[in-house]
Amino acid sequence: MTEENQPNKPDDDFDPVTDPRDWSAAQTELACFALARSKGKRLVKIINTKKPPMPFICIFEDYPQ
């Protein structure tokens, strides 16, 4: 089975338990941008897990000082 044919394979190996980065789940990519703005952080990556109800993982980091 090729990588393209694997159902619901996320774009990144994201493990919510062990990932040390600041992250949140969202329903849309646009919601990731809104979350970043409300947190006052920079959005560095969006991962589409393709798993409802919150398929997008938004990764944030602080702005450089």
Side-chain angles (χ1 to χ4, degrees):
M1 181 177 265
T2 66
E3 198 171 310
E4 295 171 5
N5 295 337
Q6 292 180 358
N8 296 328
K9 180 163 176 24
D11 295 338
D12 192 287
D13 292 328
F14 176 75
D15 184 1
V17 176
T18 61
D19 201 314
R21 301 176 288 186
D22 183 13
W23 64 272
S24 293
Q27 287 184 334
T28 65
E29 289 183 42
L30 189 58
C32 286
F33 291 100
L35 281 167
R37 185 174 180 153
S38 70
K39 288 175 170 264
K41 297 196 176 214
R42 185 168 69 107
L43 179 64
V44 292
K45 189 170 192 177
I46 299 174
I47 302 169
N48 185 356
T49 64
K50 299 180 180 133
K51 296 179 182 176
M54 303 286 251
F56 294 97
I57 303 298
C58 319
I59 309 291
F60 308 102
E61 67 180 27
D62 291 327
Y63 282 107
Q65 298 296 338

